Amino acid sequence: MSKDSLKNSTRGKKKISPSKNLTLKSMTTDQFSEEKLKSLLKTEQLGKKICFFPSLESTNLFAKQLAEKGEPHGTLVIAETQTKGQGRLGRSWHSPKGGLWFSLILRPSFRPFLPQHLTFTAGLAAAQTCSRIIPNVSLRWPNDIYVESKKIGGILTEGRTKGNDFEYCIIGIGLNVNLTESEFPSILKSEASSLLILKKEKVEIPLFLANLLLLWENILKIYSQKGFAPVLNSWKKYAHFLGTFVKVDTPTKTIEGEAIDVTLSGSLKVQDLDGMIHEISSGDVRRLTSN
Ligand code: BTN
């Protein structure tokens, strides 16, 4: 994950009243059933508390407000649509009905941990879950989920610091699950896709999410017990962009070269045509070659 997405954006924002909504009864819509999710969930912590809404501005925003009120580790906020879905680097995230838009509050009890590592755990879980449905799933640094040249999902991590430590992290995952071609605006059509388009079959969202959360919880366990190296090694198996030529837009400059590695701190290493190696902690990667 890049440091750019680690913003502490709860300050100065109008607060809604999540505690009232937390008492809502279980909800079912044509895409999602909270009861179904509960019956399928085999996790110990992730998703033990579920806040589902037919519509929210942004699940990340709502999860942050819940976290500020002390909601526990593993609380899941999920919305059928988002009216102000947030992407990385201040971009907006198109979130119509049919997608999987959710955020988790993470308050890891183990130390030390890095928020960018948590993003990698989420990316790996998402890639593993998608791979059970379609082939050729890949991860592009920092944590975009692709199938060949089309993006099918992304991750937005935000956190609140307390001194040198993190009080909580919000990890928001957006996955184009059951979106049809016509649901993408023309500007996204050439670069985005969905599981439905690729598999030509509707995916059952509660089952998909239950699988993802279980895989994620197991990856978090590995991270807490063995550190980031084994997580990164598994992540790299999906990192098909490594070894290819890329163009990286960083906040200060654009770098072109071969993507040679991702480091244990989560930075991307790019070797330019002069042989110079750049270690990049924040930016956007575009592939210049297919391999
Ligand atoms: C990206 O720019 O690739 C990251 C996109 C993250 C989108 C998800 S959808 C659920 C959660 N809520 C948000 O507002 N954003 C994240």
Side-chain angles (χ1 to χ4, degrees):
M1 189 214 50
S2 54
K3 293 191 180 99
D4 50 53
S5 53
L6 261 185
K7 44 186 181 161
N8 188 347
S9 48
T10 49
R11 265 182 239 121
K13 288 248 165 83
K14 198 177 117 210
K15 298 233 167 174
I16 47 178
S17 182
S19 48
K20 275 186 213 143
N21 293 308
L22 282 179
T23 58
L24 281 175
K25 289 209 183 85
S26 285
M27 291 193 57
T28 299
T29 66
D30 56 346
Q31 291 285 340
F32 186 78
S33 154
E34 202 175 322
E35 280 313 315
K36 189 84 188 268
L37 175 62
K38 280 182 185 153
S39 72
L40 294 167
L41 258 186
K42 295 192 181 79
T43 51
E44 285 164 15
Q45 295 177 315
L46 302 193
K48 284 289 134 180
K49 191 161 195 175
I50 301 170
C51 309
F52 170 68
F53 300 91
S55 178
L56 270 184
E57 275 191 15
S58 150
T59 56
N60 260 42
L61 178 63
F62 193 83
K64 260 182 279 172
Q65 294 175 348
L66 291 184
E68 288 293 309
K69 296 203 167 198
E71 288 297 326
H73 174 76
T75 300
L76 168 71
V77 178
I78 171 165
E80 195 167 63
T81 60
Q82 297 184 115
T83 54
K84 286 190 185 154
Q86 301 170 354
R88 287 176 59 244
L89 307 169
R91 292 186 281 240
S92 62
W93 184 261
H94 179 60
S95 320
K97 224 169 154 175
L100 173 56
W101 324 123
F102 73 97
S103 304
L104 267 201
I105 299 175
L106 293 186
R107 301 178 188 272
S109 53
F110 55 89
R111 292 290 184 280
F113 75 87
L114 288 178
Q116 59 265 38
H117 288 171
L118 297 178
T119 321
F120 279 83
T121 64
L124 177 58
Q128 288 178 342
T129 316
C130 292
S131 292
R132 289 179 174 185
I133 294 175
I134 41 162
N136 304 323
V137 175
S138 66
L139 287 164
R140 189 176 296 180
W141 185 88
N143 263 297
D144 291 341
I145 301 130
Y146 272 78
V147 174
E148 284 150 15
S149 59
K150 302 256 178 140
K151 181 163 168 169
I152 59 164
I155 297 174
L156 175 66
T157 298
E158 301 178 88
R160 188 205 241 305
T161 45
K162 195 177 190 183
N164 288 331
D165 204 7
F166 273 87
E167 201 176 316
Y168 63 78
C169 283
I170 305 296
I171 310 235
I173 304 187
L175 282 162
N176 302 333
V177 178
N178 291 325
L179 266 63
T180 58
E181 291 270 8
S182 64
E183 273 153 344
F184 288 102
S186 47
I187 192 167
L188 290 180
K189 276 196 200 315
S190 62
E191 53 198 50
S193 191
S194 74
L195 294 178
L196 169 68
I197 295 167
L198 294 159
K199 188 176 159 64
K200 299 181 178 60
E201 214 175 272
K202 213 166 162 185
V203 172
E204 203 195 313
I205 290 183
L207 179 60
F208 180 88
L209 181 54
N211 287 337
L212 191 158
L213 293 176
L214 184 62
L215 286 167
W216 193 0
E217 191 164 272
N218 289 334
I219 297 164
L220 283 170
K221 238 176 237 162
I222 293 171
Y223 176 44
S224 73
Q225 291 165 0
K226 301 188 174 155
F228 186 54
V231 175
L232 183 59
N233 285 339
S234 301
W235 188 93
K236 282 182 188 170
K237 291 185 187 137
Y238 291 93
H240 302 168
F241 73 98
L242 286 175
T244 69
F245 278 84
V246 295
K247 188 172 192 171
V248 191
D249 292 320
T250 78
T252 50
K253 57 184 171 183
T254 298
I255 298 160
E256 276 188 32
E258 186 185 346
I260 53 174
D261 203 4
V262 173
T263 68
L264 281 172
S265 63
S267 296
L268 173 65
K269 270 181 159 178
V270 173
Q271 183 164 32
D272 68 23
L273 291 177
D274 298 325
M276 191 189 280
I277 293 177
H278 304 258
E279 214 169 296
I280 304 161
S281 63
S282 166
D284 248 356
V285 173
R286 269 172 291 158
R287 277 178 75 158
L288 298 175
T289 54
S290 54
N291 237 359

